[in-house]
Amino acid sequence: MENSTTMIGSKGVIKKHEFVRILIQCLYSLGYDKSASCLESESGISYKSSEFKLLESLVVGADWEGCIDNLYGIKELTDEQRDTALFLVSKQYFVECLGRGDDSLALSLLRKQISKLKVGREKVHMLAFGLLSLGMNKVHDDNGFQELRKYLISELEQVIPPPITVPDRRLEHLVETVAASQVNSCIYHNSLDPVSIYKDHRCGRDQLPTETVQILSAHKNEVWFVQFSNSGNYLASSSSDCTAIIWKVLEDSKLVLEHTLKSHQNPVSFVAWSPDDTMLLTCGNSEVLRLWDVETGTCKHTFGDNGFLVSSCAWFPDSNRLVCGSSDPKKGICMWDCEGNEIKAWRGIRMPKISDIAVTPNGEYLISIFSDRDIRILNVGMNTERVISEEHPITSLSVSGDSKYLIVSLNSQEIHMWDVEGCFEKPLRYKGHRQHKYVIRSCFGGANGMFIASGSENSQVYIWNRRMSDPVEVLSGHSMTVNCVSWNPKRHQMLASASDDQTIRIWGPSSEKACSKEL
Amino acid sequence: MKEEEIGSTMDVDPKQYEQIIINGKDSHNIILSYLIHGCFKDTVESLVASTGLKVSAAQLEDMEKRKGILHFALNGNVLGAIQLTEEVSPDLLEKDKGLLFDLLSLRFVELISSKKCTEALEFAQAKLTPFGKMQDYVEKLEDFMALLAYEEPEKSPVFHLLSLDYRQHVADKLNRAILAHACMPSYSELERIIQQATVVRQCLSGDLGKDVVSPFSLKDFLKS
């Protein structure tokens, strides 16, 4: 028999017999019963404590009075745990009485003992109702009772605390906790794959896009906006050269030009992919809204006219309804379907100019930026809204892929993250980049949206891990202000940036050879 | 309009009431219908004697019977009440399962109140089990069965089932059902008039909106 105060581990804080006991539990839970009982006999440590084995034998032998006395005798139980355990045992006793037809004993048990336990009256009333024996799950025979008693034992195991029992799957839980904690503190962690427990987990910066792998130069003027499609197979970009371009992402992660969308008269400052990626919306500050078919590159519809200038737009998950906000005050927000039929509108004197608009991917919230500084979050289903007022002008709005968070870029050189449902009292702040005068945009990215990327007026791209307010990476390469960034939602190591230097850069991990292919 | 001390500024000037003439016969009939509904047989007989109203022998007999049924229901003899009901209104309880349930569960309550728990359980198992299979009655039945779980049911969460108020409620339901079954009005004219007046005044004060503070109180109105 092991001395129960022997310690193991380099720090001497773990008791050996506890360690062995959870190992035995683990073997049993994995189905290795022979190994488990072998370990029990080799170590002299039993998985089930002697107190529990006693209780178990009382249950199997249906010595209910004995069980009840036993439970009263266990000092480690809190009153709540004791009453819960007593209820479970008494319930089985009650059910067996009814099964044998001994109604009066069952009734007396209910009245004298069970109704006095503090377990919530619905449970007691349920048993009273059971006296009617409505024939559901009626158990008469001993085999049936044995099954129920086994189930009772496992229920008691959940209620009775350690050290008499060991919480379910204890070793798994301990290992998982450590692995999760290592992943959480890993600032470059950018994958959804399971981690190996052979080594302490720590990613290097090669997990993030840090090197230019391609430069796209097809635009003839400043590039103002980029966005990857939802499938990650395409990139859309728009420019002050009044065009938008759709690029295709090939298998080997290289991009090629697919369509150039020409018909706007003014710079195009915003694009939005339909959730099913078959359509693209383009608009600009002094422009109407156009709907393009991605496959053919042709314009399918134009919304609005010179009287209704659209500053930004967003899709609902059905890829049929779209909303756009107007940069004219009072013109408000309009919801259309793809054929151009107006579905709903929010207009009027209380509608100031809208500079940005987004719909959460789950379609539940419509978020818009009003008058530069107000974030309005409208719950579409319940038609309730709340407003967050920022102190500085907002230049971009992005929503996370899980619909839970939003980030806004501010002219005070900070990016603020708020939660959509409204629990945050203060925002999380990210800083380090430069933003004073121009519209600089930011986005979520990486596996699980754990990173934030932003452009900057000092021609660099900044990347933050959401857990920290200082950047983890600063990417150089562009020669002028970087206006917008987009992180590929499916290829988590691909980032695109758009700059006033008329190029788009595609960034990838540093292990790949950085080849700048001019296009 | 003259303002009243209590109630709303919408109160009508009492002098206007005097413009309306009420037929004396109408008043008597209202009282009579109330007495018949409540089975006050002796009072009916003396009212008839002093006013010259007519009441048939059948009506008197019906009142006598209903009086008996309701007395049984309120005073610990639900089984007797059920039996008399079946004589007076045959197949009423067959058709109105809800009423039957109310009466049977009242019998169950009687047994619990007289501390006859084993008998109560047997009665429930024999008579109430069929209702346990019908979705509409399960919740109510759960509440009744819960009475069995407590040694002091009057201190339990379902103590209200033992009260006189509850018995009265079931008795009223039974009374209305018997009247309806005999194609007599199930609400007396007096009750109807009071209900109507209350609803009308509430509507009026509701329309006025925020000016009115207190809802209509019959008691206050009668005192004014």
Side-chain angles (χ1 to χ4, degrees), chain A residues 25-65:
Chain A
Q25 181 196 50
C26 187
L27 288 172
Y28 274 122
S29 73
L30 289 171
Y32 302 130
D33 288 9
K34 275 199 288 203
S35 304
S37 62
C38 199
L39 181 50
E40 278 181 297
S41 65
E42 248 190 291
S43 64
I45 294 172
S46 165
Y47 169 49
K48 288 189 182 159
S49 63
S50 49
E51 291 106 326
F52 194 76
K53 282 196 198 157
L54 175 57
L55 185 59
E56 203 180 8
S57 67
L58 291 169
V59 168
V60 167
D63 179 358
W64 305 115
E65 300 294 332

Short mmCIF file of all heavy atoms in Angstrom, two decimals, chain A residues 25-65:
data_model
loop_
_atom_site.label_atom_id
_atom_site.label_comp_id
_atom_site.label_asym_id
_atom_site.label_seq_id
_atom_site.Cartn_x
_atom_site.Cartn_y
_atom_site.Cartn_z
N GLN A 25 -8.79 5.98 -13.59
CA GLN A 25 -10.07 6.43 -14.13
C GLN A 25 -9.97 6.59 -15.64
O GLN A 25 -10.87 6.19 -16.39
CB GLN A 25 -10.48 7.76 -13.50
CG GLN A 25 -11.83 8.25 -14.01
CD GLN A 25 -12.07 9.72 -13.72
OE1 GLN A 25 -11.23 10.57 -13.99
NE2 GLN A 25 -13.22 10.01 -13.15
N CYS A 26 -8.85 7.18 -16.08
CA CYS A 26 -8.66 7.42 -17.51
C CYS A 26 -8.67 6.10 -18.27
O CYS A 26 -9.30 5.99 -19.33
CB CYS A 26 -7.35 8.17 -17.71
SG CYS A 26 -7.13 8.69 -19.39
N LEU A 27 -7.97 5.09 -17.74
CA LEU A 27 -7.93 3.79 -18.42
C LEU A 27 -9.32 3.19 -18.51
O LEU A 27 -9.73 2.68 -19.56
CB LEU A 27 -6.99 2.84 -17.67
CG LEU A 27 -5.49 3.15 -17.81
CD1 LEU A 27 -4.68 2.26 -16.87
CD2 LEU A 27 -5.02 2.94 -19.24
N TYR A 28 -10.08 3.28 -17.42
CA TYR A 28 -11.46 2.76 -17.47
C TYR A 28 -12.28 3.51 -18.51
O TYR A 28 -13.02 2.92 -19.29
CB TYR A 28 -12.14 2.90 -16.09
CG TYR A 28 -11.89 1.76 -15.15
CD1 TYR A 28 -11.30 1.96 -13.90
CD2 TYR A 28 -12.25 0.45 -15.48
CE1 TYR A 28 -11.08 0.91 -13.03
CE2 TYR A 28 -12.03 -0.61 -14.62
CZ TYR A 28 -11.43 -0.38 -13.39
OH TYR A 28 -11.22 -1.42 -12.52
N SER A 29 -12.14 4.84 -18.53
CA SER A 29 -13.00 5.60 -19.45
C SER A 29 -12.62 5.37 -20.90
O SER A 29 -13.43 5.54 -21.80
CB SER A 29 -12.98 7.10 -19.11
OG SER A 29 -11.75 7.65 -19.49
N LEU A 30 -11.36 4.95 -21.15
CA LEU A 30 -10.96 4.65 -22.53
C LEU A 30 -11.34 3.22 -22.92
O LEU A 30 -11.13 2.82 -24.06
CB LEU A 30 -9.44 4.83 -22.68
CG LEU A 30 -8.94 6.27 -22.65
CD1 LEU A 30 -7.42 6.31 -22.59
CD2 LEU A 30 -9.42 7.04 -23.87
N GLY A 31 -11.84 2.48 -21.95
CA GLY A 31 -12.27 1.11 -22.24
C GLY A 31 -11.22 0.06 -21.95
O GLY A 31 -11.39 -1.10 -22.30
N TYR A 32 -10.12 0.45 -21.33
CA TYR A 32 -9.05 -0.52 -21.07
C TYR A 32 -9.22 -1.10 -19.66
O TYR A 32 -8.43 -0.85 -18.76
CB TYR A 32 -7.67 0.14 -21.21
CG TYR A 32 -7.46 0.76 -22.58
CD1 TYR A 32 -7.01 2.07 -22.71
CD2 TYR A 32 -7.72 0.03 -23.74
CE1 TYR A 32 -6.82 2.64 -23.96
CE2 TYR A 32 -7.54 0.59 -24.99
CZ TYR A 32 -7.09 1.90 -25.10
OH TYR A 32 -6.91 2.46 -26.33
N ASP A 33 -10.32 -1.87 -19.50
CA ASP A 33 -10.65 -2.36 -18.16
C ASP A 33 -9.57 -3.26 -17.56
O ASP A 33 -9.27 -3.18 -16.37
CB ASP A 33 -11.98 -3.13 -18.20
CG ASP A 33 -13.16 -2.18 -18.39
OD1 ASP A 33 -12.93 -0.99 -18.65
OD2 ASP A 33 -14.31 -2.64 -18.27
N LYS A 34 -8.99 -4.12 -18.41
CA LYS A 34 -7.98 -5.04 -17.87
C LYS A 34 -6.78 -4.27 -17.35
O LYS A 34 -6.29 -4.52 -16.24
CB LYS A 34 -7.51 -6.03 -18.97
CG LYS A 34 -8.41 -7.24 -19.10
CD LYS A 34 -7.71 -8.38 -19.81
CE LYS A 34 -7.55 -8.07 -21.28
NZ LYS A 34 -7.38 -9.26 -22.14
N SER A 35 -6.32 -3.31 -18.17
CA SER A 35 -5.16 -2.51 -17.74
C SER A 35 -5.50 -1.74 -16.48
O SER A 35 -4.68 -1.61 -15.57
CB SER A 35 -4.76 -1.51 -18.83
OG SER A 35 -4.51 -2.19 -20.03
N ALA A 36 -6.72 -1.22 -16.44
CA ALA A 36 -7.12 -0.42 -15.28
C ALA A 36 -7.08 -1.26 -14.01
O ALA A 36 -6.51 -0.84 -12.99
CB ALA A 36 -8.51 0.17 -15.49
N SER A 37 -7.66 -2.45 -14.05
CA SER A 37 -7.68 -3.22 -12.80
C SER A 37 -6.30 -3.78 -12.48
O SER A 37 -5.93 -3.96 -11.32
CB SER A 37 -8.74 -4.31 -12.83
OG SER A 37 -8.48 -5.22 -13.84
N CYS A 38 -5.47 -3.97 -13.56
CA CYS A 38 -4.09 -4.37 -13.33
C CYS A 38 -3.35 -3.28 -12.57
O CYS A 38 -2.63 -3.54 -11.59
CB CYS A 38 -3.45 -4.60 -14.70
SG CYS A 38 -1.97 -5.58 -14.61
N LEU A 39 -3.56 -2.06 -13.00
CA LEU A 39 -2.91 -0.94 -12.33
C LEU A 39 -3.40 -0.81 -10.89
O LEU A 39 -2.64 -0.50 -9.97
CB LEU A 39 -3.17 0.36 -13.11
CG LEU A 39 -2.54 1.65 -12.56
CD1 LEU A 39 -1.07 1.47 -12.26
CD2 LEU A 39 -2.75 2.80 -13.54
N GLU A 40 -4.69 -1.07 -10.72
CA GLU A 40 -5.23 -1.02 -9.36
C GLU A 40 -4.51 -2.00 -8.45
O GLU A 40 -4.12 -1.66 -7.32
CB GLU A 40 -6.74 -1.32 -9.36
CG GLU A 40 -7.60 -0.12 -9.72
CD GLU A 40 -9.09 -0.41 -9.69
OE1 GLU A 40 -9.56 -1.26 -10.49
OE2 GLU A 40 -9.81 0.22 -8.89
N SER A 41 -4.30 -3.23 -8.95
CA SER A 41 -3.67 -4.21 -8.05
C SER A 41 -2.18 -3.95 -7.91
O SER A 41 -1.61 -4.09 -6.84
CB SER A 41 -3.96 -5.64 -8.50
OG SER A 41 -3.37 -5.89 -9.74
N GLU A 42 -1.53 -3.52 -9.00
CA GLU A 42 -0.08 -3.25 -8.91
C GLU A 42 0.23 -2.11 -7.97
O GLU A 42 1.22 -2.11 -7.25
CB GLU A 42 0.46 -2.89 -10.29
CG GLU A 42 1.39 -3.93 -10.87
CD GLU A 42 2.09 -3.43 -12.13
OE1 GLU A 42 1.42 -3.26 -13.16
OE2 GLU A 42 3.31 -3.19 -12.04
N SER A 43 -0.63 -1.08 -8.00
CA SER A 43 -0.32 0.10 -7.18
C SER A 43 -0.93 -0.02 -5.80
O SER A 43 -0.56 0.72 -4.89
CB SER A 43 -0.87 1.35 -7.87
OG SER A 43 -2.29 1.26 -7.94
N GLY A 44 -1.91 -0.92 -5.66
CA GLY A 44 -2.60 -1.00 -4.38
C GLY A 44 -3.57 0.14 -4.18
O GLY A 44 -4.09 0.35 -3.08
N ILE A 45 -3.80 0.89 -5.23
CA ILE A 45 -4.73 2.03 -5.10
C ILE A 45 -6.00 1.66 -5.84
O ILE A 45 -5.98 1.27 -7.00
CB ILE A 45 -4.11 3.30 -5.70
CG1 ILE A 45 -2.90 3.72 -4.87
CG2 ILE A 45 -5.14 4.44 -5.75
CD1 ILE A 45 -2.12 4.86 -5.49
N SER A 46 -7.12 1.81 -5.16
CA SER A 46 -8.38 1.44 -5.78
C SER A 46 -9.04 2.68 -6.37
O SER A 46 -8.99 3.76 -5.79
CB SER A 46 -9.26 0.83 -4.69
OG SER A 46 -10.58 0.78 -5.13
N TYR A 47 -9.65 2.52 -7.56
CA TYR A 47 -10.32 3.68 -8.18
C TYR A 47 -11.50 4.12 -7.33
O TYR A 47 -11.67 5.30 -7.03
CB TYR A 47 -10.75 3.33 -9.61
CG TYR A 47 -11.65 4.37 -10.22
CD1 TYR A 47 -11.33 5.72 -10.18
CD2 TYR A 47 -12.86 4.01 -10.81
CE1 TYR A 47 -12.16 6.69 -10.70
CE2 TYR A 47 -13.70 4.97 -11.35
CZ TYR A 47 -13.34 6.29 -11.29
OH TYR A 47 -14.18 7.24 -11.81
N LYS A 48 -12.33 3.16 -6.95
CA LYS A 48 -13.47 3.55 -6.12
C LYS A 48 -13.07 3.54 -4.66
O LYS A 48 -12.48 2.58 -4.17
CB LYS A 48 -14.64 2.59 -6.35
CG LYS A 48 -15.27 2.78 -7.70
CD LYS A 48 -16.55 1.97 -7.84
CE LYS A 48 -17.12 2.17 -9.24
NZ LYS A 48 -18.03 1.13 -9.65
N SER A 49 -13.38 4.59 -3.96
CA SER A 49 -13.02 4.67 -2.54
C SER A 49 -13.86 3.66 -1.75
O SER A 49 -14.92 3.22 -2.21
CB SER A 49 -13.30 6.07 -2.00
OG SER A 49 -14.68 6.33 -2.09
N SER A 50 -13.38 3.34 -0.56
CA SER A 50 -14.10 2.33 0.24
C SER A 50 -15.48 2.84 0.64
O SER A 50 -16.44 2.08 0.69
CB SER A 50 -13.29 1.93 1.46
OG SER A 50 -12.84 3.08 2.13
N GLU A 51 -15.59 4.16 0.86
CA GLU A 51 -16.92 4.69 1.22
C GLU A 51 -17.89 4.49 0.07
O GLU A 51 -19.05 4.12 0.26
CB GLU A 51 -16.87 6.20 1.53
CG GLU A 51 -16.14 6.56 2.79
CD GLU A 51 -14.79 7.18 2.49
OE1 GLU A 51 -14.15 6.77 1.49
OE2 GLU A 51 -14.37 8.06 3.25
N PHE A 52 -17.39 4.78 -1.16
CA PHE A 52 -18.29 4.66 -2.29
C PHE A 52 -18.67 3.21 -2.55
O PHE A 52 -19.80 2.90 -2.90
CB PHE A 52 -17.68 5.30 -3.54
CG PHE A 52 -18.68 5.51 -4.62
CD1 PHE A 52 -19.60 6.54 -4.54
CD2 PHE A 52 -18.75 4.64 -5.70
CE1 PHE A 52 -20.56 6.73 -5.51
CE2 PHE A 52 -19.71 4.82 -6.69
CZ PHE A 52 -20.62 5.86 -6.59
N LYS A 53 -17.69 2.31 -2.35
CA LYS A 53 -17.99 0.89 -2.59
C LYS A 53 -19.07 0.42 -1.63
O LYS A 53 -19.94 -0.38 -2.00
CB LYS A 53 -16.72 0.05 -2.38
CG LYS A 53 -15.76 0.11 -3.54
CD LYS A 53 -14.75 -1.03 -3.44
CE LYS A 53 -13.56 -0.74 -4.32
NZ LYS A 53 -12.36 -1.44 -3.93
N LEU A 54 -19.02 0.95 -0.39
CA LEU A 54 -20.05 0.56 0.58
C LEU A 54 -21.42 1.03 0.11
O LEU A 54 -22.39 0.25 0.09
CB LEU A 54 -19.70 1.18 1.94
CG LEU A 54 -20.72 0.99 3.07
CD1 LEU A 54 -21.00 -0.48 3.31
CD2 LEU A 54 -20.23 1.64 4.36
N LEU A 55 -21.48 2.27 -0.30
CA LEU A 55 -22.75 2.83 -0.77
C LEU A 55 -23.26 2.04 -1.97
O LEU A 55 -24.45 1.71 -2.08
CB LEU A 55 -22.57 4.31 -1.14
CG LEU A 55 -23.81 5.08 -1.55
CD1 LEU A 55 -24.85 5.06 -0.44
CD2 LEU A 55 -23.47 6.52 -1.90
N GLU A 56 -22.33 1.73 -2.87
CA GLU A 56 -22.67 0.98 -4.08
C GLU A 56 -23.31 -0.36 -3.71
O GLU A 56 -24.32 -0.77 -4.29
CB GLU A 56 -21.40 0.75 -4.89
CG GLU A 56 -21.64 0.51 -6.35
CD GLU A 56 -20.33 0.28 -7.09
OE1 GLU A 56 -19.28 0.15 -6.43
OE2 GLU A 56 -20.38 0.23 -8.32
N SER A 57 -22.71 -1.06 -2.72
CA SER A 57 -23.23 -2.39 -2.37
C SER A 57 -24.61 -2.27 -1.73
O SER A 57 -25.47 -3.12 -1.91
CB SER A 57 -22.27 -3.13 -1.45
OG SER A 57 -22.22 -2.49 -0.20
N LEU A 58 -24.84 -1.17 -0.99
CA LEU A 58 -26.16 -0.97 -0.40
C LEU A 58 -27.22 -0.75 -1.49
O LEU A 58 -28.34 -1.23 -1.39
CB LEU A 58 -26.14 0.23 0.55
CG LEU A 58 -25.33 0.04 1.85
CD1 LEU A 58 -25.14 1.36 2.56
CD2 LEU A 58 -26.01 -0.96 2.77
N VAL A 59 -26.83 -0.02 -2.54
CA VAL A 59 -27.78 0.25 -3.62
C VAL A 59 -28.10 -1.04 -4.38
O VAL A 59 -29.26 -1.37 -4.62
CB VAL A 59 -27.23 1.31 -4.61
CG1 VAL A 59 -28.08 1.37 -5.88
CG2 VAL A 59 -27.19 2.67 -3.95
N VAL A 60 -27.05 -1.77 -4.73
CA VAL A 60 -27.26 -3.00 -5.50
C VAL A 60 -28.10 -3.99 -4.71
O VAL A 60 -28.94 -4.70 -5.25
CB VAL A 60 -25.89 -3.61 -5.89
CG1 VAL A 60 -26.06 -5.03 -6.40
CG2 VAL A 60 -25.21 -2.75 -6.94
N GLY A 61 -27.88 -4.00 -3.39
CA GLY A 61 -28.64 -4.91 -2.55
C GLY A 61 -29.99 -4.36 -2.12
O GLY A 61 -30.72 -4.98 -1.36
N ALA A 62 -30.32 -3.17 -2.63
CA ALA A 62 -31.60 -2.53 -2.34
C ALA A 62 -31.84 -2.34 -0.84
O ALA A 62 -32.97 -2.41 -0.35
CB ALA A 62 -32.77 -3.31 -2.96
N ASP A 63 -30.76 -2.09 -0.09
CA ASP A 63 -30.92 -1.80 1.34
C ASP A 63 -31.10 -0.29 1.46
O ASP A 63 -30.18 0.47 1.77
CB ASP A 63 -29.65 -2.26 2.09
CG ASP A 63 -29.73 -1.96 3.58
OD1 ASP A 63 -30.73 -1.36 4.03
OD2 ASP A 63 -28.77 -2.31 4.30
N TRP A 64 -32.33 0.15 1.21
CA TRP A 64 -32.56 1.58 1.07
C TRP A 64 -32.39 2.34 2.38
O TRP A 64 -31.81 3.41 2.43
CB TRP A 64 -33.94 1.84 0.47
CG TRP A 64 -34.12 1.12 -0.83
CD1 TRP A 64 -35.00 0.12 -1.10
CD2 TRP A 64 -33.37 1.32 -2.04
NE1 TRP A 64 -34.85 -0.32 -2.39
CE2 TRP A 64 -33.86 0.40 -2.99
CE3 TRP A 64 -32.33 2.18 -2.39
CZ2 TRP A 64 -33.34 0.32 -4.28
CZ3 TRP A 64 -31.83 2.10 -3.68
CH2 TRP A 64 -32.34 1.17 -4.60
N GLU A 65 -32.90 1.74 3.47
CA GLU A 65 -32.72 2.41 4.77
C GLU A 65 -31.23 2.55 5.06
O GLU A 65 -30.76 3.57 5.56
CB GLU A 65 -33.41 1.60 5.88
CG GLU A 65 -34.92 1.43 5.70
CD GLU A 65 -35.67 2.76 5.79
OE1 GLU A 65 -35.18 3.68 6.49
OE2 GLU A 65 -36.71 2.90 5.14
#
